[in-house]
């Protein structure tokens, strides 16, 4: 099991929108990438952030021990090598001797230990805490060696460590209580300035152990209107942009001077039902909702067909034909019978929450689902929220239903254990657990045979689709647009912007 590495429209756009885009700050030096995105980060603590917009920023500043490449293979980040013991109950890392934090201090084994102890501390409320519960002790035999002693074999642990939610932060900053109040990582860029919901200024970290970054920095403008982002690209006010709205993305190829990067991602669009609230605590009601939702219609209407209907498992090697899952074909007659059996033949009223701007399709998804559920008597009120307010409500499980875009992972266990295990730190978000889900997750965690793991997680997927605590909808794409003089950007199935480290401006 050991792995060793020794190296590390828009046509006719209103003039006012175009003028608004032109108001972006004047271009900086030629070697600074001018970038735009719609949604800003909601915070700077890499261990706590769940919003995609936050992750996209923080993965440029912080580093985990390992990361995924564009093919979802685990490659070095702060660690140059790693090895599981034969019994898979010990994982040893060797750190890059050249790795430094952006204040010039070396990254040491003590920083790694302190970071994971912070992750495991319930008081931290770390987003990925459940991924690391097998860690019993952390030993640091020297400054560049870290040994994780595990309570049980934990095959997916390495994939969990590839997340920015497992970033290594300075032990001194943890002790000082300053994590989240400033950004001090070891990654390729330094955060020089952040004006929330307005702009970020990043400079290349000249001491980054990962290699030389070809650009001097990144100036990011936050433009809440993606048509303004497209206008800014057209007028060359912006070199590179993250696009969230599939409709805007489909217009980029019509622009002769622009290039669209379009990559399938593991993240999934989902309707989350709160099974701790009546009447969603009734299995038949949840199943009725699942049967009433036309997933392809949601995809076609909200995302202009940009994506594909999905089951819970979105990662290569584990995906299945969604039509084999419970009620993935819309069946109103079955839905009405289930509602009647549950005592809700006349329906009920509920509220669905959705975030403005993340994803860009959230409002449209909520509206399509509202229309579809009306067919079985469910009156759905839509409550749109600003992203930070939505995230707070979502983390507390304070909703009847929620439209969400949740992140994917390369491994089913590290993707879902925080929701669907009894010790999951996002059980408040899932609001449902049963012995079967918990047991299957545990079996999948320990099993080392890939074929057996696939069988275990196929059973997990079949069961959770039938229990219908959530209604999985579709996977889509990540989109970035760039000028033709921008080259070298590498996309990933995680939607990461880490590929900006390879960008050159010509």
């Amino acid at each position: 099991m050991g792995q060793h590495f020794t190296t590390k429209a828009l046509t006719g756009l209103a003039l006012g929108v175009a003028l608004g885009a032109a108001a972006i700050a004047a271009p900086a030096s030629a070697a600074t990438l001018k970038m735009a995105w719609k949604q800003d980060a909601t915070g700077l603590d890499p261990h706590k952030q769940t919003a995609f917009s936050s992750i996209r920023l923080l993965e440029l500043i912080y580093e985990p021990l390992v990361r995924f490449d564009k093919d979802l293979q685990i490659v070095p980040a702060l660690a140059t090598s790693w090895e599981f013991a034969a019994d898979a109950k010990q994982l040893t890392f060797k750190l890059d001797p050249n790795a430094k934090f952006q204040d010039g201090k070396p990254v040491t084994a003590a920083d790694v230990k302190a970071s994971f102890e912070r992750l495991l501390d319930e008081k931290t409320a770390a987003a990925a805490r459940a991924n690391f519960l097998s860690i019993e002790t952390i030993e640091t035999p020297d400054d560049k060696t870290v040994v994780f002693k595990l309570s049980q074999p934990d095959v997916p642990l390495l994939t969990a460590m590839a997340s920015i939610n497992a970033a290594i932060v300075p032990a001194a900053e943890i002790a000082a209580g300053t994590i989240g109040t400033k950004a001090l990582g070891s990654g390729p860029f330094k955060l020089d300035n952040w004006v929330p919901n307005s702009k970020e200024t990043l400079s290349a970290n000249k001491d980054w152990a990962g290699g030389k970054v070809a650009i001097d920095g990144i100036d990011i403008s936050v433009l809440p209107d993606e048509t303004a982002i497209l206008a800014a690209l057209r007028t060359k006010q912006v070199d590179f942009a993250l696009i969230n709205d599939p409709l805007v993305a489909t217009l980029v190829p019509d622009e002769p001077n622009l290039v669209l990067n379009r990559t399938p991602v593991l993240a999934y669009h989902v309707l989350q039902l709160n099974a701790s609230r009546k009447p969603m605590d009734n299995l038949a009601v949840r199943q009725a909702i699942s049967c009433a939702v036309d997933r392809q219609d949601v995809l076609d209407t909200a995302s202009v067909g940009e994506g594909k209907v999905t089951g819970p498992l979105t990662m290569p090697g584990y995906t299945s034909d969604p039509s084999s899952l419970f009620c993935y074909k819309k069946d109103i007659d079955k839905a009405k019978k289930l509602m009647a059996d549950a005592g809700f033949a006349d329906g009920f009223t509920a509220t669905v929450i959705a975030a403005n701007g993340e994803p860009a399709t959230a409002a449209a998804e909520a509206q399509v689902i509202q229309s579809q559920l009306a067919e079985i008597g469910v009156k759905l009120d839509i409550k749109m929220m600003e992203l930070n307010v939505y995230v707070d409500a979502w983390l507390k499980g304070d909703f009847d239903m929620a439209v969400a875009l949740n992140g994917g992972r390369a491994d089913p266990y590290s993707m879902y254990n925080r929701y669907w295990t009894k010790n999951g730190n996002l059980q408040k978000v899932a609001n449902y657990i049963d012995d079967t889900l918990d047991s299957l997750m545990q079996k999948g965690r320990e099993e080392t045979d890939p074929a057996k793991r696939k069988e275990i997680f196929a059973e997990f997927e079949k069961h959770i689709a039938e229990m219908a605590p959530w209604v999985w909808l579709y996977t889509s794409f990540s989109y970035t647009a760039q000028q033709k003089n921008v080259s070298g950007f590498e996309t990933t199935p995680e939607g990461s912007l880490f590929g900006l480290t390879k960008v050159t401006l010509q």
Side-chain angles (χ1 to χ4, degrees), residues 248-264:
V248 174
T250 59
L251 296 165
V252 174
D254 296 334
E255 300 294 333
N257 296 317
L258 300 180
V259 175
L260 178 70
N261 301 306
R262 176 179 178 270
T263 306

Side-chain angles (χ1 to χ4, degrees), residues 17 38 59 79 89 122 184 292 299 312 319 322 346 478:
V17 172
K38 175 179 181 174
E59 67 198 358
K89 291 177 67 174
E122 283 192 69
L184 180 58
L299 167 59
T319 53
D346 296 329
S478 69

Side-chain angles (χ1 to χ4, degrees), residues 363-409:
E365 287 170 23
Q367 289 162 7
V368 178
I369 292 167
Q370 179 188 53
S371 173
Q372 292 177 354
L373 294 189
E375 295 182 57
I376 58 169
V378 176
K379 182 179 183 299
L380 205 56
D381 296 322
I382 299 172
K383 185 175 183 180
M384 298 301 300
M385 298 174 161
E386 290 306 310
L387 180 60
N388 59 337
V389 178
Y390 170 91
V391 168
D392 285 347
W394 186 84
L395 287 170
K396 292 173 185 171
D398 186 14
F399 54 82
D400 298 333
M401 303 183 196
V403 167
L405 174 63
N406 291 344
R409 299 286 186 272

Side-chain angles (χ1 to χ4, degrees), residues 253-505:
D254 296 334
E255 300 294 333
N257 296 317
L258 300 180
V259 175
L260 178 70
N261 301 306
R262 176 179 178 270
T263 306
V265 289
L266 304 178
Y268 56 93
H269 297 252
V270 64
L271 174 66
Q272 297 182 195
L273 310 180
N274 187 340
S276 70
R277 288 190 180 180
K278 294 183 181 298
M280 273 76 68
D281 60 340
N282 188 308
L283 173 60
V285 168
R286 299 197 305 271
Q287 290 182 329
I289 291 170
S290 180
C291 293
V293 171
D294 184 335
R295 294 160 173 84
Q296 188 65 48
D297 183 41
V298 177
L299 167 59
D300 290 341
T301 305
S303 193
V304 293
E306 283 281 291
K308 63 180 180 180
V309 170
T310 189
L313 301 183
T314 66
M315 67 292 295
Y318 291 92
T319 53
S320 61
D321 179 0
S323 65
S324 66
L325 300 174
F326 176 82
C327 229
Y328 254 65
K329 189 176 189 312
K330 183 178 179 179
D331 190 336
I332 289 296
D333 290 341
K334 184 172 183 176
K336 286 181 175 178
K337 183 179 186 307
L338 284 163
M339 288 285 281
D341 290 348
F344 291 94
D346 296 329
F348 60 88
T349 299
T351 299
V352 62
I353 66 170
N356 291 317
E358 192 172 294
T361 52
E365 287 170 23
Q367 289 162 7
V368 178
I369 292 167
Q370 179 188 53
S371 173
Q372 292 177 354
L373 294 189
E375 295 182 57
I376 58 169
V378 176
K379 182 179 183 299
L380 205 56
D381 296 322
I382 299 172
K383 185 175 183 180
M384 298 301 300
M385 298 174 161
E386 290 306 310
L387 180 60
N388 59 337
V389 178
Y390 170 91
V391 168
D392 285 347
W394 186 84
L395 287 170
K396 292 173 185 171
D398 186 14
F399 54 82
D400 298 333
M401 303 183 196
V403 167
L405 174 63
N406 291 344
R409 299 286 186 272
D411 187 88
Y413 181 83
S414 50
M415 180 160 161
Y416 281 129
N417 80 87
R418 52 189 180 160
Y419 298 111
W420 309 115
T421 60
K422 291 179 180 179
N423 291 325
N425 57 284
L426 293 183
Q427 251 293 303
K428 275 186 180 175
V429 179
N431 289 298
Y432 177 84
I433 191 61
D434 61 38
D435 290 341
T436 301
L437 289 178
D438 190 74
S439 171
L440 288 169
M441 290 297 279
Q442 186 60 28
K443 286 179 184 174
R445 181 191 203 178
E446 295 182 353
E447 181 57 63
T448 58
D449 183 287
K452 289 179 181 175
R453 290 192 90 229
K454 185 168 183 176
E455 289 176 8
I456 291 166
F457 285 112
E459 192 179 341
F460 162 85
E461 182 174 56
K462 183 173 182 290
H463 178 71
I464 202 167
E466 189 172 339
M467 293 300 100
W470 295 356
V471 179
W472 277 262
L473 301 169
Y474 64 96
T475 56
S476 189
F477 301 91
S478 69
Y479 306 100
T480 57
Q482 63 192 49
Q483 304 291 343
K484 285 191 172 176
N485 69 323
V486 176
S487 60
F489 178 69
E490 285 188 353
T491 61
T492 77
E494 294 184 301
S496 170
L497 293 180
F498 183 76
L500 289 172
T501 57
K502 298 184 181 299
V503 159
T504 57
L505 289 168

